[in-house]
């Protein structure tokens, strides 16, 4: 009697059915139908990709299912499915060992259809269409570039580097959470060596091009033999060692891929032939094997380079970015490293002083102003020309040789502002008769991805640090032309015992995570994958030590953050607001600060009106609170600003910059003033409070009787101002715009609208936080 074993077709049908069920469950979660087990909420995407990682040969099945679901979503007008499905598809395609050109072509055609849709669909579709076009011509290119940049592997054809900086405030998160995150990131960083990542690039790129014709087991064995022969697993990578054979083949593969990708009319067949020759050369010294080919096998996608930082210093973010761009004394002591950074800051101040001194004082010059009178050793400002040309033209030579002022680098400052409304820089007008030598622009070879862990209070600190960084770059440009800066936000609620408690009016996690709630409403995929970490990370951090706990933390948290950083490229720009605070004491200088989410003011009950103004008699008609004069700029239907002034009595007020829904404008403050109203009744006079609500961007509040009140910014009790009698709030201006504007005003008799270079510069300082889709209307 014969036994009927299920054939490959039946097994494939079962696998396809299981993957389809997982994808449909993922879509139901986007509709608000959360899984029955709340523990699985936010883990559906992760478990789906992990299942494919366990059996990489099923990658084409997943890609085919996702393409069908995308086409079904387009026909049925389920637009909120498109971006999550597309991100899931692209992540699977990057990690897949080999995808047929026919399947890539279907995905490419779908991405081109998205160009007819509004933002953000057309933006994401254009980005992915460009990537897929390269991937079809040079298979494995997306994986290769991702690993090279994330691991900072040295490669001349593709010299880009990336690094993830995770910042957490130790006063907002519990010690257990900080320790768990530090342990996980350190374990992820030391678990892989640079040469092992080179082997990953070689094996994945070769298999993506050759497909099933690649004997991946033999290739891995040969590369592993080379690593063990040189002791590469224990030796440092770039410390005077001779170039190993693994590095040689890595450079050959990278050169082959980048050369093909840079060609206008690249031929996939020629690219495959070139990688075939490299593959044969690597295995040429290996004994031939008789084992049959095992089919497609997966190559791990290594975790990106992640560093964890406890945010204890105000300028810590700037210091880490400087060290990333230009490592000062890589092998020196920590004290020496801090001294180098201090020297860099001192040079910044000296540069400013020298620029000011040269602007203030005139310098006597003995230069005739003619080039031919210069000594032979003088520096030539432009390329040499022929003798006839030199004799026929006379050029002026500046008598004063100054260091470049900040205004000369203003083009760099514009590109450092990520946000909408940025226009291309205007061409700088040069003096007539002086030829210009084209200078090679600085390339942004470094990308710093800043991940903030915490609630709204750490975002308030980020707004402060970002504003300080932009001011520093305005004085002396260093990071802007060299660094691409990206911000990400993972909400994490602290434990009740954290030192920095919020103000009493905002103690619930919902009130402390208003930015995360807004991003979740704007982007459902952010809500599903990132907002779920808000409560999951504290639970995992406080779990008792067990093998299951290490499995969850080492895989889940690190993988989700890596997925967010890799696929989240659409920014949501939040307006940063500037506040100027005036105090009751005339001896105390006014303070200037910025906030991102909220400003809250409360009356100080410790000082009575009689103590402030002894001549005023205290009567029962005053009631609770203080008298305020509020002046704000009201925007009417015609979009014209109208100044409105009102006087009222209030016990407190709040200004919220985060709207309650995505339909409202982000660049507008929702002001809620608790107004005291007097009520006359039969029993006498009494008082009640009503909410006086208004919307504005510019507002001034002054205590008419000089009674002080307390001010708290971004719900952080550490950022509290006391004895405040007046404040002014307005959108924070981009520092480079202010510098150029002030310079322009010196040459104009009256304040006019922006002219010249100023009108091409971003005016407001916006803080961009990356999500998967941006804002979906």
């Amino acid at each position: 009697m014969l036994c009927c074993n299920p054939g490959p077709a039946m097994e494939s049908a079962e696998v396809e059915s299981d993957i389809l069920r997982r994808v449909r469950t993922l879509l139901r979660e986007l509709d608000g139908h959360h899984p029955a087990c709340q523990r699985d909420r936010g883990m559906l995407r992760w478990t789906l990709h992990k299942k494919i990682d366990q059996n990489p040969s099923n990658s084409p099945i997943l890609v085919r299912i996702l393409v069908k679901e995308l086409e079904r979503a387009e026909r049925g007008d389920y637009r909120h499915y498109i971006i999550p499905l597309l991100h899931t598809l692209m992540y699977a395609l990057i990690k897949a060992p080999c995808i047929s050109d026919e399947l890539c072509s279907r995905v490419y055609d779908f991405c081109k259809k998205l160009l007819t849709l509004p933002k953000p669909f057309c933006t994401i579709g254009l980005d992915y269409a460009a990537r897929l076009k390269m991937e079809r011509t040079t298979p494995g290119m997306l994986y290769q570039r991702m690993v090279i940049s994330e691991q900072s592997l040295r490669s001349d054809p593709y010299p880009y580097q990336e690094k993830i900086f995770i910042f957490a405030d130790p006063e907002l998160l519990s010690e257990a959470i900080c320790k768990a995150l530090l342990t996980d990131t350190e374990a992820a960083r030391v678990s892989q060596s640079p040469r092992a990542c080179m082997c990953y690039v070689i094996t994945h790129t070769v298999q993506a091009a050759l497909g099933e014709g690649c004997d991946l087991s033999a290739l891995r064995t040969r590369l592993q033999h080379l690593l063990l022969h040189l002791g590469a697993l224990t030796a440092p990578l770039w410390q005077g060692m001779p170039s190993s054979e693994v590095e040689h083949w890595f450079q050959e593969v990278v050169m082959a891929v980048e050369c093909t990708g840079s060609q206008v009319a690249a031929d996939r067949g020629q690219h495959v032939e070139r990688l075939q020759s490299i593959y044969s050369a690597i295995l040429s010294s290996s004994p031939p094997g008789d084992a049959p080919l095992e089919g497609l096998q997966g190559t791990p996608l290594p975790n990106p380079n992640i560093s964890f930082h406890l945010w204890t210093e105000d300028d810590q973010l700037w210091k880490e970015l400087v060290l990333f761009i230009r490592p000062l004394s890589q092998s020196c002591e920590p004290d020496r490293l801090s001294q180098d950074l201090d020297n860099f800051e001192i040079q910044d101040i000296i540069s400013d002083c020298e620029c000011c001194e040269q602007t203030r004082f005139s310098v006597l010059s003995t230069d005739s102003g003619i080039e031919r009178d210069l000594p032979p050793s003088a520096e030539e400002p432009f390329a040499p020309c022929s003798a006839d040309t030199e004799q026929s033209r006379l050029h002026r030579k500046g008598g004063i040789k100054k260091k470049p002022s900040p205004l000369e680098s203003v083009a760099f400052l514009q590109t450092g502002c990520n946000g909408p409304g940025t226009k291309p820089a205007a061409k700088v007008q040069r003096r007539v008769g002086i030829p210009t030598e084209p200078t090679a622009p600085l390339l942004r070879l470094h990308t710093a991805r800043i991940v903030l862990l915490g609630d709204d209070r750490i975002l308030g600190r980020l707004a402060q640090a970002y504003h300080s960084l932009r001011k520093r770059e305005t004085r002396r440009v260093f990071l802007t032309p060299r660094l691409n800066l990206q911000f990400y936000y993972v909400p994490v609620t602290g434990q009740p015992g954290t030192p920095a408690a919020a103000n009493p009016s905002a103690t619930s996690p919902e009130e402390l995570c208003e930015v995360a709630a807004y991003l979740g409403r704007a982007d459902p995929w952010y809500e599903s994958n990132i907002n779920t970490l808000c409560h999951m990370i504290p639970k995992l951090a406080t779990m008792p030590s067990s093998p299951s706990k290490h499995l969850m933390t080492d895989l889940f948290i690190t993988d989700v953050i890596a997925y967010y950083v890799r696929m989240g490229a659409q920014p949501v720009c939040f307006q940063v607001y500037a506040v100027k605070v005036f105090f009751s004491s005339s001896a105390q200088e006014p303070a200037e600060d910025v906030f991102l989410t909220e400003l809250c003011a409360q009356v100080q009950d410790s000082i009575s009106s009689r103590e402030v103004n002894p001549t005023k008699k205290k009567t029962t008609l005053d009631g609770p609170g203080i008298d305020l004069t509020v002046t704000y700029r009201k925007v009417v239907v015609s979009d014209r600003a109208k100044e409105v002034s009102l006087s009222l009595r209030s016990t407190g007020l709040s200004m919220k910059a985060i709207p309650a829904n995505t339909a409202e404008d982000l660049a507008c403050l929702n002001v809620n003033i608790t107004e005291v109203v007097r009520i006359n009744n039969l029993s006498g006079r009494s008082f009640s409070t009503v909410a006086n609500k208004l919307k504005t961007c510019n507002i001034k509040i002054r205590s008419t009787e000089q009674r002080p009140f307390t001010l708290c910014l971004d719900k952080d009790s550490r950022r509290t101002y006391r004895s405040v009698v007046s404040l002014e709030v307005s959108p924070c201006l981009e520092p480079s715009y202010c510098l150029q504007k002030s310079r322009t005003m010196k040459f104009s008799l009256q304040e006019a609208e922006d002219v010249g270079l100023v009108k091409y510069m971003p005016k407001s300082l916006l803080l961009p936080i990356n999500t998967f889709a941006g804002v979906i209307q």
Side-chain angles (χ1 to χ4, degrees):
M1 186 174 180
L2 298 177
C3 295
C4 290
N5 294 325
M10 185 176 297
E11 293 179 0
S12 177
E14 292 178 356
V15 170
E16 186 172 352
S17 176
D18 179 63
I19 294 177
L20 179 61
R21 178 184 58 81
R22 292 173 180 269
V23 172
R24 294 282 175 84
T25 305
L26 192 64
L27 297 179
R28 284 196 297 271
E29 186 181 22
L30 290 174
D31 289 331
H33 305 292
H34 301 306
C37 182
Q38 288 295 321
R39 184 185 60 183
D40 296 336
R41 186 185 176 192
M43 299 183 64
L44 297 177
R45 194 277 318 163
W46 180 75
T47 55
L48 175 63
H49 280 137
K50 282 301 172 185
K51 183 175 180 61
I52 301 302
D53 291 342
Q54 295 172 1
N55 194 351
S57 60
N58 294 331
S59 297
I61 299 177
L62 174 60
V63 174
R64 190 176 299 108
I65 290 175
L66 292 172
V67 171
K68 291 180 180 179
E69 292 298 319
L70 279 169
E71 295 170 347
R72 188 173 69 91
E74 183 195 19
R75 291 192 303 266
D77 200 22
Y78 296 103
R79 288 189 178 180
H80 62 290
Y81 289 169
I82 292 180
I83 293 179
L85 287 173
L86 198 56
H87 283 314
T88 307
L89 186 151
M90 286 299 298
Y91 202 60
L93 193 144
I94 291 173
K95 301 170 69 175
C98 183
I99 297 295
S100 65
D101 184 65
E102 179 270 334
L103 202 53
C104 282
S105 177
R106 287 183 61 184
V107 183
Y108 176 71
D109 292 339
F110 181 84
C111 290
K112 288 195 299 183
K113 292 180 182 179
L114 297 181
L115 299 181
T116 61
L117 299 180
K119 290 183 179 181
F121 300 99
C122 61
T123 305
I124 298 176
L126 180 62
D127 178 31
Y128 282 163
R131 296 191 194 186
L132 287 166
K133 187 176 181 180
M134 293 189 303
E135 186 70 14
R136 291 180 63 189
T137 306
T138 54
M141 189 176 196
L142 298 181
Y143 177 96
Q144 175 178 293
R145 287 187 170 184
M146 181 176 289
V147 175
I148 290 176
S149 59
E150 289 181 349
Q151 306 300 325
S152 297
L153 301 179
R154 188 172 63 182
S155 171
D156 293 335
Y158 193 75
Y160 296 92
Q161 300 181 23
E162 295 182 6
K163 187 176 181 180
I164 299 176
F165 300 84
I166 298 181
F167 278 85
D169 194 331
E171 296 190 25
L172 302 181
L173 299 180
S174 65
E175 183 180 357
I177 296 177
C178 296
K179 187 177 296 184
L181 292 171
L182 178 61
T183 303
D184 295 342
T185 52
E186 287 292 334
R189 185 169 56 180
V190 301
S191 63
Q192 55 207 16
S193 66
R195 284 199 177 97
C197 295
M198 292 182 182
C199 294
Y200 291 155
V201 171
I202 295 173
T203 55
H204 184 275
T205 305
V206 171
Q207 184 177 227
L210 304 182
E212 296 184 354
C214 172
D215 188 353
L216 197 64
S217 299
L219 182 60
R220 284 175 175 170
T221 303
R222 175 58 182 164
L223 294 175
Q224 187 70 18
H225 174 74
L226 295 176
L227 287 176
L228 295 176
H229 177 70
L230 292 175
L233 292 177
T234 56
L237 184 56
W238 310 117
Q239 294 183 2
M241 290 185 58
S243 177
S244 69
E245 196 169 349
V246 172
E247 298 170 23
H248 167 72
W249 294 122
F250 166 76
Q251 297 293 345
E252 288 291 321
V253 170
V254 174
M255 181 67 69
V257 172
E258 293 298 330
C259 286
T260 306
S262 61
Q263 297 175 3
V264 178
D267 184 9
R268 176 166 176 159
Q270 295 180 356
H271 173 71
V272 172
E273 291 178 2
R274 187 170 183 178
L275 285 180
Q276 177 69 51
S277 63
I278 295 175
Y279 168 72
S280 302
I282 295 176
L283 297 181
S284 60
S285 58
S286 300
D290 299 331
L293 298 179
E294 300 180 3
L296 296 178
Q297 302 179 41
T299 301
L301 180 61
N303 289 318
N305 184 12
I306 303 177
S307 62
F308 183 80
H309 305 271
L310 294 178
W311 201 346
T312 56
E313 301 177 9
D314 292 337
D315 59 348
Q316 187 173 353
L317 175 62
W318 174 80
K319 288 183 178 180
E320 294 295 338
L321 295 178
V322 170
L323 292 178
F324 175 49
I325 294 295
R326 187 180 65 183
L328 304 174
S329 309
Q330 293 181 349
S331 60
C332 67
E333 301 294 333
D335 295 340
R336 175 68 181 277
L337 191 63
S338 177
Q339 182 180 357
D340 289 338
L341 286 174
D342 293 339
N343 293 337
F344 187 82
E345 174 70 12
I346 293 173
Q347 291 297 325
D348 187 2
I349 299 174
I350 293 176
S351 176
D352 293 339
C353 294
E354 290 179 354
C355 181
C356 294
E357 289 297 324
Q358 290 178 351
T359 304
R360 185 177 303 145
F361 301 108
S362 60
V363 180
L364 179 62
S365 174
T366 58
D367 187 4
S368 65
I370 303 177
E371 262 190 13
R372 66 179 64 170
D373 294 340
L374 292 175
S377 60
E379 180 184 0
E380 294 296 334
F382 26 80
C385 54
S386 63
D388 297 338
T389 307
E390 185 177 357
Q391 295 295 329
S392 62
R393 290 189 308 182
L394 299 178
H395 300 305
R396 296 291 301 172
K397 176 70 176 179
I400 303 176
K401 186 178 178 64
K402 296 197 304 182
K403 292 185 178 181
S405 68
L407 294 176
E408 296 173 6
S409 304
V410 80
F412 290 140
L413 300 177
Q414 299 177 66
T415 57
C417 309
N418 298 324
T422 304
K423 302 177 182 178
K427 294 183 179 180
V428 180
Q429 300 294 326
R430 301 185 181 274
R431 289 179 295 171
V432 179
I434 298 183
T436 59
E437 178 184 357
T439 58
L442 290 173
L443 296 178
R444 291 186 174 184
L445 302 180
H446 295 75
T447 299
R449 305 189 184 276
I450 312 298
V451 181
L452 282 303
L453 266 64
D455 49 39
D456 291 346
R457 293 171 289 182
I458 196 170
L459 292 180
R461 289 194 65 182
L462 175 63
Q464 278 187 312
Y466 186 55
H467 181 246
S468 175
L469 186 147
R470 296 300 308 146
K471 289 173 62 179
R472 192 190 299 264
E473 287 293 292
T474 302
R475 296 194 306 266
R476 183 188 182 194
V477 179
F478 176 70
L479 294 176
T480 304
R482 299 172 175 86
L483 178 68
N484 182 20
L485 192 58
Q486 303 286 325
F487 294 109
Y488 303 83
Y489 173 47
V490 177
V492 180
T493 55
Q495 302 299 315
T498 51
N503 56 308
S505 62
T507 54
S508 65
E510 291 76 14
E511 292 177 308
L512 288 175
C513 295
E514 289 183 340
V515 174
Y518 178 85
L519 295 176
R521 291 190 298 267
D523 184 358
W525 201 230
Y526 180 91
E527 174 69 25
S528 176
N529 288 273
I530 305 303
N531 273 350
T532 51
L533 297 178
C534 183
H535 304 286
M536 189 173 296
I537 291 180
K539 289 181 181 179
L540 292 176
T542 55
M543 284 175 58
S545 298
S546 63
S548 61
K549 179 205 172 180
H550 291 293
L551 178 66
M552 286 291 298
T553 54
D554 291 346
L555 294 179
F556 180 69
I557 296 179
T558 306
D559 284 357
V560 171
I561 292 179
Y563 174 78
Y564 174 33
V565 167
R566 286 164 173 164
M567 310 307 290
Q570 304 303 315
V572 177
C573 297
F574 294 90
Q575 174 68 60
V576 179
Y577 288 91
V579 56
K580 190 171 184 179
V581 182
F582 299 87
F583 301 96
S584 57
S585 174
S586 58
Q588 191 172 0
E589 292 291 331
E592 294 184 0
D593 207 337
V594 296
F595 69 95
L596 183 71
T597 59
E598 183 183 85
L599 180 149
C600 184
Q602 297 291 334
V603 177
Q604 287 185 211
D605 296 330
S606 59
I607 302 178
S608 63
S609 60
R610 187 67 178 271
E611 295 174 356
V612 177
N613 190 359
T615 61
K616 181 179 178 181
K617 296 182 178 180
K618 175 67 176 178
T619 65
T620 58
L621 298 179
D622 294 338
I626 58 176
D627 292 328
L628 299 177
T629 299
V630 180
T631 305
Y632 66 97
R633 186 175 299 174
K634 182 179 180 180
V635 178
V636 295
V637 179
S638 60
D639 202 21
R640 294 179 179 178
K642 179 183 178 182
E643 290 287 343
V644 178
S645 181
L646 56 91
S647 298
L648 49 82
R649 192 168 186 84
S650 173
T651 58
L653 60 93
S654 66
M655 302 181 190
K656 289 185 175 293
I658 309 301
N661 56 73
T662 56
E664 298 184 26
D665 190 3
L666 265 177
C668 186
L669 283 173
N670 293 290
V671 184
N672 191 346
I673 304 176
T674 305
E675 183 178 359
V676 178
V677 180
R678 186 178 63 186
I679 301 176
N680 295 324
N681 49 35
L682 296 176
S683 60
R685 296 182 178 88
S686 61
F687 301 92
S688 65
T689 58
V690 295
N692 195 336
K693 299 181 179 181
L694 53 95
K695 291 180 179 291
T696 184
C697 293
N698 302 74
I699 187 171
K700 299 179 182 179
I701 298 176
R702 182 174 60 88
S703 174
T704 56
E705 52 188 22
Q706 293 297 303
R707 287 190 60 188
F709 52 89
T710 303
L711 200 64
C712 182
L713 301 180
D714 287 323
K715 311 165 191 176
D716 195 342
S717 60
R718 297 168 297 178
R719 301 177 60 194
T720 301
Y721 295 91
R722 302 185 182 277
S723 301
V724 179
V725 295
S726 178
L727 62 92
E728 299 176 0
V729 176
S730 61
C732 184
L733 299 179
E734 165 63 35
S736 60
Y737 169 87
C738 297
L739 181 64
Q740 180 68 7
K741 180 74 172 179
S742 62
R743 187 61 178 263
T744 304
M745 293 301 298
K746 292 181 179 179
F747 303 99
S748 60
L749 300 179
Q750 58 183 0
E751 183 176 359
E753 61 181 15
D754 295 340
V755 294
L757 186 61
V758 180
K759 65 180 181 181
Y760 294 100
M761 301 177 63
K763 184 175 182 179
S764 298
L765 181 63
L766 304 179
L767 179 64
I769 298 179
N770 281 8
T771 63
F772 298 102
V775 179
I776 301 178
Q777 298 295 343

